[in-house]
Amino acid sequence: MPLLARMLPSPLTIDVRQGAISSLGAVLADRRIATEGRVAVAVGPGQGAQIAAGLDLPNCEVFRVENGSIDVATELGKKLRSGHYEAVAGIGGGKTIDVTKFAASMAGIPMVAVATNLAHDGIASPTASLEHESGKGTYGVGMPIAVVIDVDYVRAAPQRLVRSGIGDAISNFSAIADWELAGREQGEPVDGMAVTFARVAAEALLHRTDSVESQEFLTVLAEALVLSGMAMSVAGSSRPASGGCHEVLHAIDQLFPGTSNHGELAGIGALFTYFLRQKYLGEGERRMRDIRACLLRHELPILPGDVGLDEEAFARAVAYAPSTRPGRYTILEHLALADDEIRRSVGEYVETLGR
């Protein structure tokens, strides 16, 4: 039995397999979702239009999502609300799905996520990451009522995007460690079920020796990313999948936009924060080594230079990172390193883990 079939609570429906896209029409035509069959489809600039063209939905209207901005999401939300649609499907990558989640929440209608790549864990999460004038923000939204992931379409996506999802899933280890640290040091409540979901997602990938070329691996990766989204839903926040690792990636996004994608930066952030945990707290060395081995096995970056940043730039991002999530307590806030200590730690990280 697939992992998610055992663990995911209703009402979420998930279909991860070859040919899964064929189920989308049936999902959207379900009279429990759309009694009159008036549904909308939002498609991204990639494979979304091709998928939408093949749907057998006579009353479906297709909207194009050109980017992942808050303005685009708000405009789509207005169209969905004024058109009296009963449901909407977002077909494409992470930006398209996030825009559609936000728009569906704004319009007060259910949303189906149809992922064409596995670059990050936002597929089934209760958050949307959207761009605005000052950078990027994270917004609370309703979860999709169904997730459809067709392995054939995922395989057609650029391999770099598929591999980057591994980095995002593996970063759950760092997020969990930070949450538990906040529980010990700050008395922050830690949800055991959310932690279990997030940890199972990461553990499912950590030691696998096959690759994204394997259909079995893609299925496990898809399930892991959806399970991470479920962990966030149970927690009521991104806590189980976003800690100091994501503070670092958001800082890089803001200070050095266009450096790399979300999953790759999450992987580097997780490895670096585990290095800090090992260096200053004397814990987590084995996990750090396992994460490094996993990232290297899947040809993901592990050092600042791998994504075009020098040590000084990466140190700037680490220093700036806590300001990206005010109020969140992670290893970065716990250590509160001075700038010179951060630069020294970055240098030691590169020297130690770059060998």
Side-chain angles (χ1 to χ4, degrees):
M1 183 183 296
L3 173 68
L4 293 181
R6 294 196 303 269
M7 297 192 67
L8 289 185
S10 58
L12 181 69
T13 298
I14 179 169
D15 190 356
V16 181
R17 59 184 170 87
Q18 285 184 298
I21 202 69
S22 62
S23 71
L24 179 58
V27 170
L28 290 174
D30 190 324
R31 293 185 64 82
R32 292 171 298 177
I33 298 173
T35 57
E36 299 177 4
R38 185 167 174 77
V39 298
V41 173
V43 300
Q47 302 178 82
Q50 175 188 345
I51 295 172
L55 295 178
D56 184 20
L57 292 168
N59 296 323
C60 168
E61 186 165 357
V62 177
F63 298 95
R64 293 191 176 275
V65 174
E66 298 302 330
N67 59 54
S69 72
I70 185 70
D71 290 339
V72 168
T74 301
E75 185 61 28
L76 177 60
K78 292 177 180 177
K79 291 177 180 177
L80 296 178
R81 190 164 53 197
S82 64
H84 302 289
Y85 296 100
E86 297 175 280
V88 59
I91 306 177
K95 291 182 179 180
T96 303
I97 289 176
D98 278 359
V99 163
T100 309
K101 282 193 290 187
F102 184 95
S105 295
M106 181 177 168
I109 61 176
M111 181 264 186
V112 176
V114 185
T116 56
N117 68 52
L118 300 176
H120 65 82
D121 61 11
I123 300 168
S125 74
T127 61
S129 181
L130 300 172
E131 300 162 0
H132 52 74
E133 295 84 353
S134 302
K136 185 178 288 187
T138 301
Y139 304 87
V141 295
M143 280 185 64
I145 60 166
V147 175
V148 177
I149 303 173
D150 194 316
V151 176
D152 291 328
Y153 283 97
V154 169
R155 187 176 284 114
Q159 275 209 357
R160 182 187 175 194
L161 287 180
V162 180
R163 290 196 304 267
S164 70
I166 301 167
D168 207 10
I170 293 300
S171 74
N172 286 5
F173 288 124
S174 173
I176 293 168
D178 282 334
W179 199 7
E180 292 174 340
L181 177 66
R184 294 192 303 269
E185 299 293 327
Q186 302 289 307
E188 183 177 331
V190 178
D191 189 297
M193 181 175 289
V195 166
T196 298
F197 279 13
R199 182 176 285 123
V200 168
E203 291 281 6
L205 296 168
L206 185 62
H207 297 294
R208 289 191 70 98
T209 57
D210 50 353
S211 71
V212 295
E213 296 177 353
S214 157
Q215 178 177 328
E216 183 179 356
F217 184 91
L218 289 178
T219 301
V220 172
L221 174 58
E223 291 181 338
L225 294 174
V226 173
L227 195 54
S228 292
M230 288 301 301
M232 290 185 264
S233 178
V234 169
S237 74
S238 62
R239 231 344 180 163
S242 174
C245 50
H246 280 59
E247 289 182 336
V248 171
L249 87 82
H250 290 306
I252 293 173
D253 273 345
Q254 291 183 34
L255 297 176
F256 312 104
T259 295
S260 188
N261 63 47
H262 181 101
E264 290 180 341
L265 294 178
I268 293 176
L271 188 57
F272 178 73
T273 51
Y274 258 102
F275 173 80
L276 293 180
R277 186 166 274 107
Q278 183 273 326
K279 173 179 168 63
Y280 289 98
L281 304 184
E283 61 186 37
E285 181 173 4
R286 181 175 179 181
R287 182 71 81 194
M288 177 185 72
R289 299 292 178 183
D290 286 345
I291 290 173
R292 178 183 184 274
C294 178
L295 295 177
L296 288 175
R297 186 163 59 248
H298 295 288
E299 302 176 35
L300 289 166
I302 64 170
L303 302 177
D306 295 339
V307 293
L309 295 177
D310 59 25
E311 293 181 17
E312 182 63 29
F314 190 76
R316 277 186 60 200
V318 173
Y320 182 74
S323 67
T324 68
R325 285 291 183 274
R328 182 154 293 189
Y329 192 84
T330 76
I331 188 66
L332 301 179
E333 287 80 6
H334 180 70
L335 296 176
L337 299 177
D339 289 351
D340 60 333
E341 294 175 305
I342 292 174
R343 285 192 291 269
R344 185 162 52 250
S345 295
V346 170
E348 292 176 7
Y349 167 76
V350 171
E351 172 66 22
T352 303
L353 296 183
R355 294 172 182 166

